Amino acid sequence: MTQDEQKQAAAEAALDFIETGSVIGVGTGSTANHFIDALARIKGKLDGAVASSEASAARLREHRIPVLELDSTGDLPLYVDGADEATRHLHLIKGGGGALTREKIVAAASKKFICVADQSKLVDVLGSFPLPLEVIPMAKSYVGRQMVKLGGRPALREGYTTDNGNFIIDVHDLEMLDPVAVEERLDHVAGVVSNGIFARRGADLLLLGTPGGVEKIG
Ligand code: 5RP
């Protein structure tokens, strides 16, 4: 089974958690795209979806799935999204696709967060994947200097602007033995809109595609 087939199997396994007549949150990335494509097959069951990015909203619309604004839906029963890294404690690094801020908002507003991923994303300790920060443009150098003070190696994602008009700094080599503490620490750096650690609000369930089938963690 290829990595992409593992992503697809995990994404399709999340369909079982959708309640008829609900509005659900939908994430961003190649695994979330598999989920959106699978949703198209059962779209009669859904009242609509809240997307965590313009790209996912466009893909939902291509499948004629109604795209709703979080402001008008209130809290959601379910959010399904991928991750760049995940631990068995259901702590995640997200934001490889640059959508971390909207992803964090939709995850926060959702009762259940199911993370869908292929087996390569499972790690013992977060941090091999460079941590994405969404940063207000005028703060990029200041935030970079603060990351160096914390022992990280910041790299501006060249030529990239988020859906919110901000920049992404990918921070390499940050120690993340206590992801909750690091997430909180980074949230207090002026100019950081959000960071890609999802530990305070981690996933509730991880569906991990493996060559032997979909493993449920959580
Ligand atoms: C986007 C994300 C994605 O969930 C993450 O990058 C995983 O992507 P993929 O499913 O393509 O491996 O956080 O901001």
Side-chain angles (χ1 to χ4, degrees), residues 3 7 27-34 52-53 79 81-85 93-101 103 115-118 120-121 129 132 157 160 196 198:
Q3 185 181 11
K7 290 181 182 198
T28 299
S30 57
T31 319
N33 282 345
H34 280 303
S52 70
S53 64
Y79 178 51
D81 197 1
D84 299 298
E85 283 185 346
I93 287 184
K94 293 186 44 55
L100 60 153
T101 300
E103 292 172 342
C115 179
V116 286
D118 66 274
S120 73
K121 305 294 181 63
F129 191 90
R157 208 177 283 184
Y160 184 83
F198 285 55

Side-chain angles (χ1 to χ4, degrees), residues 168-212:
I168 296 283
I169 293 178
D170 295 301
V171 188
H172 301 250
D173 303 336
L174 263 191
E175 192 175 282
M176 265 177 250
L177 292 175
D178 183 347
V180 172
V182 181
E183 182 179 8
E184 247 165 42
R185 173 76 188 82
L186 296 176
D187 274 351
H188 290 111
V189 176
V192 172
V193 179
S194 62
N195 71 78
I197 303 176
F198 285 55
R200 276 176 301 177
R201 201 283 180 257
D204 299 302
L205 178 65
L206 173 60
L207 295 176
L208 198 68
T210 77

Side-chain angles (χ1 to χ4, degrees), residues 1-119:
M1 212 185 207
T2 65
Q3 185 181 11
D4 194 56
E5 285 166 343
Q6 292 175 31
K7 290 181 182 198
Q8 184 174 5
E12 292 184 351
L15 290 182
D16 292 346
F17 296 84
I18 297 173
E19 285 166 24
T20 304
S22 58
V23 174
I24 64 166
V26 172
T28 299
S30 57
T31 319
N33 282 345
H34 280 303
F35 180 64
I36 294 171
D37 296 347
L39 275 183
R41 303 202 299 263
I42 59 133
K43 62 183 171 195
K45 230 181 144 178
L46 273 185
D47 278 3
V50 172
S52 70
S53 64
E54 300 299 338
S56 291
R59 198 174 184 103
L60 286 159
R61 286 193 191 100
E62 275 169 28
H63 287 304
R64 309 235 177 285
I65 297 169
V67 177
L68 306 172
E69 294 300 325
L70 187 64
D71 262 346
S72 65
T73 61
D75 285 355
L76 305 172
L78 177 66
Y79 178 51
V80 177
D81 197 1
D84 299 298
E85 283 185 346
T87 69
R88 289 191 180 271
H89 301 291
L90 305 177
H91 296 152
L92 314 173
I93 287 184
K94 293 186 44 55
L100 60 153
T101 300
R102 294 189 188 194
E103 292 172 342
K104 231 176 215 197
I105 294 167
V106 183
S110 297
K111 193 154 178 249
K112 190 178 181 86
F113 173 13
I114 298 181
C115 179
V116 286
D118 66 274
Q119 123 180 312

